[in-house]
Every structure is written in structure tokens, then in C-alpha cells.
Amino acid sequence: MKIMTMLQIFILLLLIISCSSSNKTDHNQTKADEIVNSQIKDEDNKKVINQVKLIPPPESYFRVLAKENSFAEYLRNLYLKTENNAVVLFDGNLKENQTAQYRVLKMDVGDKDL
């Protein structure tokens, strides 16, 4: 039981430190934000977000820099669907609550049974 509690505390701390809140911005972060903002396209006053790294962080938060060739960099560079964002279940049926997801990854999983 004690191990479970320690594991829960560790996971909670990991989640808390994975995003940083700060009022100060350094030059690198400002430059990164400018690059991301320049990549966001505006179509009919609706932002088209086609990569995970283009999803804006919550207000007063910023993304920490990801090391090159890291798992964080890989995840941030995954592409997102821009059309037909329906979530399909394992059996091919549409998930009942289609408003629960923010975006859907654009990832080919083939036609085999996973």
C-alpha cells in the first residue's frame, strides 16, 4: 500500500513539473513562440493546427525546450488530422462522445487487428 502511495505522489509530481508557469520570458522562448505563431494558418478566422507543437499551452504557461531526437521532440512533431476528427473504436464504430477529444493524431495504423 505504501508503494502505491509513493508511486501516486511521484506521478503527480511528474505531471506538475512537466509544464512550467512563469511570467518571465527569455529570448529563446520568445523566438520559439514567434516561429510557432508564424506556422499557424488562419483560414476563415479559424486556426488550423496540424501538429502537436502548434497546440497553444494554457494561459501563463509555456513549453519547455525539447532536446533534439528526444521522445518529447517526436511527440511534438506528430501531425494532427485537420478534417474528419472523428474517433473510431477498435470495431470500426464511432465513439459515442465525439466532443471529449481536442484533436486526433494523423497516424496510419494499417488495417490489421491491433
Side-chain angles (χ1 to χ4, degrees):
M1 185 61 104
K2 187 174 182 174
I3 294 174
M4 222 28 196
T5 304
M6 294 294 287
L7 182 61
Q8 289 173 337
I9 291 172
F10 176 75
I11 292 172
L12 180 63
L13 287 173
L14 185 63
L15 289 172
I16 290 172
I17 63 172
S18 64
C19 285
S20 299
S21 175
S22 176
N23 290 331
K24 61 181 181 177
T25 57
D26 61 333
H27 178 69
N28 289 340
Q29 187 61 43
T30 303
K31 190 66 177 169
D33 289 342
E34 289 173 7
I35 292 169
V36 167
N37 289 336
S38 70
Q39 292 175 343
I40 297 176
K41 300 173 187 170
D42 203 6
E43 291 181 3
D44 300 326
N45 296 325
K46 181 180 177 187
K47 291 182 179 177
V48 175
I49 299 175
N50 64 354
Q51 270 188 304
V52 172
K53 67 182 174 185
L54 299 178
I55 298 172
E59 190 176 324
S60 79
Y61 284 79
F62 64 91
R63 280 191 173 70
V64 294
L65 297 176
K67 292 181 182 178
E68 190 174 343
N69 296 322
S70 66
F71 186 59
E73 182 189 41
Y74 165 75
L75 291 175
R76 288 183 187 172
N77 286 303
L78 288 174
Y79 284 92
L80 302 169
K81 286 185 172 185
T82 56
E83 296 177 2
N84 189 17
N85 287 313
V87 175
V88 181
L89 299 174
F90 68 94
D91 59 2
N93 292 321
L94 288 177
K95 187 179 118 196
E96 197 169 312
N97 181 3
Q98 289 292 324
T99 62
Q101 66 276 359
Y102 179 70
R103 291 283 196 266
V104 177
L105 292 175
K106 184 177 182 180
M107 185 177 284
D108 183 22
V109 293
D111 57 358
K112 288 186 175 182
D113 186 8
L114 300 176

